[in-house]
Amino acid sequence: MLRITSRLTAVFAGSLLALSLCGPLPEAEAGARLDKIMQTKTLRVGTPGDYRPFSMHEDGKITGHDIEVIEKIAGELGVKVEYVQSSWPTLAKDYADDKFDVAVGGITRTGARFAFADFLPAYAPFGKVALVRKADKDRFTTLGSLNQPDVRVIKNPGGSNEIFVDTHLTKARVSLHPNNAEIPHMIAEGKGDVMITETNEAIIYSKLDERLHPAFLDNPLTPVNYMGFMLQKDDPDYVRLMNFVWDLLGRRGELGKSADAWLK
């Protein structure tokens, strides 16, 4: 007789009842990660928490698009979220050390990350842009104008923005700052000239500080790419379930509501 594991029954009681009316259900094998999540009723979520509008530590709490969406996912699973502090330089190591079940916070889907991790479907299309002072907007109009010896670029370590800077701005005066969220203010204050970031973050900070300008919005410095929630992939049932819930929230319009609230 065909059967399904109790953990999936607990998660999808209503959905499985509806599906059973359409025919017999396939057998599902248990996986350790999903078992642990359902037993502890806890989904561990890693995030750097320094990247508006996706994930940001602010006023003693964590907010943002990705935070809202992962809370919705946890709600569908019937579990609570336990946030785990990560960082861009340590994200891959934290993944390998199994410090979280899923990582969020404006994580770019790259081939290098797909080599060791899985991802939920793409969202938030973007290109690389430059956050500069509004007074300098006519100075920085091409990639070549950014890559000059007198241009001070401040980069955050460990992410795709640092890779872009190291690859394309080799002539500029590059300095490292560990807190991504502090760099826009440093640019506005004249402590640097350029911050390489993505479309959404540049728009947010230019609205928060009228001294800043999001350069290259109409013609980004890179082809379009997408963000994604980075999943542990050691349990196929867990990956399949997370994709199911993402799809379910999308079909209900919940993902669209979060995008409208945070990414427009």
Side-chain angles (χ1 to χ4, degrees), residues 8 11 21 43 99 110 142 149 163 187 192 216 262:
L8 292 182
V11 177
L21 300 177
L43 181 69
K99 291 187 177 181
T110 66
T142 66
I163 293 173
I187 300 298
F216 305 99
W262 293 97

Side-chain angles (χ1 to χ4, degrees), residues 78-92:
V79 302
K80 65 180 181 180
V81 172
E82 176 184 305
Y83 289 104
V84 178
Q85 182 64 48
S86 187
S87 70
W88 300 110
T90 65
L91 190 63

Side-chain angles (χ1 to χ4, degrees), residues 189-209:
E189 290 292 315
K191 298 176 181 179
D193 302 312
V194 173
M195 175 189 184
I196 296 297
T197 183
E198 283 95 22
T199 309
N200 287 289
E201 185 176 45
I203 292 173
I204 288 290
Y205 279 108
S206 65
K207 290 179 178 179
L208 290 174
D209 192 326

Side-chain angles (χ1 to χ4, degrees), residues 4-264:
I4 189 160
T5 55
S6 59
R7 61 176 181 164
L8 292 182
T9 302
V11 177
F12 291 124
S15 299
L16 292 177
L17 176 61
L19 288 172
S20 66
L21 300 177
C22 301
L25 292 170
E27 182 174 293
E29 294 300 326
R33 183 171 300 279
L34 184 52
D35 280 343
K36 183 176 180 180
I37 290 169
M38 299 314 300
Q39 288 165 4
T40 62
K41 299 297 182 184
T42 302
L43 181 69
R44 298 173 304 151
V45 178
T47 185
D50 63 355
Y51 187 7
R52 289 187 174 93
F54 302 100
S55 171
M56 188 70 191
H57 290 291
E58 207 164 36
D59 299 327
K61 61 182 180 180
I62 187 165
T63 62
H65 170 271
D66 291 14
I67 302 306
E68 182 173 296
V69 172
I70 200 64
E71 293 280 358
K72 289 179 178 181
I73 290 175
E76 287 297 319
L77 297 177
V79 302
K80 65 180 181 180
V81 172
E82 176 184 305
Y83 289 104
V84 178
Q85 182 64 48
S86 187
S87 70
W88 300 110
T90 65
L91 190 63
K93 185 178 185 303
D94 291 346
Y95 177 98
D97 291 343
D98 192 22
K99 291 187 177 181
F100 48 73
D101 303 304
V102 55
V104 306
I107 301 172
T108 302
R109 289 160 53 102
T110 66
R113 287 172 175 153
F114 263 107
F116 64 84
D118 209 332
F119 279 84
L120 287 180
Y123 70 98
F126 70 87
K128 296 293 183 188
V129 298
L131 191 63
V132 303
R133 284 183 298 281
K134 190 173 291 185
D136 290 335
K137 67 178 183 178
D138 294 330
R139 176 186 176 190
F140 300 120
T141 58
T142 66
L143 179 60
S145 66
L146 300 173
N147 191 27
Q148 298 296 325
D150 63 338
V151 176
R152 299 167 299 161
V153 178
I154 305 177
K155 67 176 183 179
N156 181 49
S160 61
N161 292 328
E162 182 180 30
I163 293 173
F164 182 91
V165 170
D166 292 347
T167 302
H168 298 284
L169 303 184
T170 56
K171 297 178 182 178
R173 292 165 51 193
V174 178
S175 61
L176 195 67
H177 189 75
N179 190 327
N180 183 73
E182 294 176 352
I183 299 177
H185 183 70
M186 295 171 70
I187 300 298
E189 290 292 315
K191 298 176 181 179
D193 302 312
V194 173
M195 175 189 184
I196 296 297
T197 183
E198 283 95 22
T199 309
N200 287 289
E201 185 176 45
I203 292 173
I204 288 290
Y205 279 108
S206 65
K207 290 179 178 179
L208 290 174
D209 192 326
E210 63 181 10
R211 295 172 295 177
L212 295 172
H213 171 70
F216 305 99
L217 280 184
D218 295 331
N219 188 23
L221 298 166
T222 61
V224 66
N225 201 348
Y226 297 84
M227 304 296 181
F229 287 16
M230 191 168 75
L231 298 176
Q232 295 281 356
K233 64 178 183 180
D234 55 356
D235 181 351
D237 279 349
Y238 165 68
V239 173
R240 185 161 51 91
L241 178 56
M242 293 291 279
N243 275 277
F244 174 91
V245 174
W246 181 276
D247 180 72
L248 184 64
L249 292 175
R251 292 174 185 274
R252 287 178 181 166
E254 291 300 319
L255 296 183
K257 290 178 183 177
S258 294
D260 289 343
W262 293 97
L263 305 181
K264 297 296 185 182

